[in-house]
């Protein structure tokens, strides 16, 4: 490795580790988001063709409130069906029937997902900035080729993450 300094290797390792941390943050945020959404509807199945939910005991939850301005829809099962169900204690404590609230991209879960996305982008931009500065400091051709390759990879990832973030923000409905 003639012509490549220890400082270059350490800086490249640090920049790549920031990239891995951003990737790990994306994976953990995606997993937490899926678990959060799944926990409130565990065992229930949504039927988009009929716009209803069905519970594990095959009772249907029908839409009772739909507010597109706030991006929320509330579904409820008939109270008589829930109150006579053997699984009521495990499902709901309401005497009015089990409810499921379906939210669009303005919910807390989506806000956290956007926050983690911005953190990932910030880490990748910081790593890219370090690579860009090192590109002008480094004199070795081989080192510059490595820097350009990693920098291009990070820029493509940042561009993709920013595009997804812009799409989320475009789908937001005003409160």
């Amino acid at each position: 490795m003639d012509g490549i300094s220890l400082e270059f290797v350490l800086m490249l390792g640090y920049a790549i580790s920031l990239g891995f941390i951003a990737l790990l943050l994306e994976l953990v945020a995606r997993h937490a988001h899926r678990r959060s959404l799944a926990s409130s509807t565990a065992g229930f199945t949504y039927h988009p063709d009929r716009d209803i939910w069905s519970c594990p005991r095959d009772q249907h939850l029908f839409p009772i409130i739909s507010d597109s301005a706030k991006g929320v829809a509330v579904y409820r099962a008939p109270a008589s069906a829930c109150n006579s169900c053997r699984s009521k204690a495990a499902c709901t404590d309401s005497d009015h029937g089990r409810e499921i609230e379906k939210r669009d991209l303005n919910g807390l879960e989506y806000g956290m997902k956007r926050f983690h996305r911005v953190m990932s982008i910030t880490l990748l931009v910081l790593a890219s900035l370090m690579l860009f500065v090192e590109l002008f400091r480094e004199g070795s051709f081989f080192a510059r080729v490595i820097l350009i390759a990693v920098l291009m990879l990070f820029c493509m990832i940042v561009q993709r993450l920013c595009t997804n973030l812009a799409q989320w923000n475009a789908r937001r409905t005003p409160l």
Side-chain angles (χ1 to χ4, degrees), residues 14-106:
Y14 184 63
I16 290 174
S17 68
L18 286 177
F20 279 121
I21 290 170
L23 174 67
L24 183 64
L25 184 60
E26 281 292 311
L27 293 174
V28 168
R30 186 175 297 142
H31 176 71
H33 179 70
R34 284 186 188 137
R35 284 194 58 172
S36 173
L37 290 178
S39 68
S40 65
T41 59
F44 288 75
T45 306
Y46 182 66
H47 303 282
D49 54 329
R50 297 181 287 170
D51 191 28
I52 62 170
W53 287 85
S54 60
C55 79
R57 298 285 183 195
D58 206 29
Q59 292 296 322
H60 297 298
L61 287 81
F62 300 98
I64 58 166
I65 299 172
S66 182
D67 188 349
S68 60
K70 291 184 180 178
V72 78
V74 178
Y75 298 79
R76 183 183 297 154
S80 59
C82 289
N83 291 335
S84 64
C85 181
R86 299 178 295 182
S87 303
K88 180 186 181 210
C91 184
T92 185
D93 59 358
S94 171
D95 290 330
H96 303 290
R98 169 67 190 258
E99 286 187 2
I100 291 180
E101 189 174 297
K102 184 177 165 189
R103 293 189 168 269
D104 71 353
L105 296 179
N106 289 326

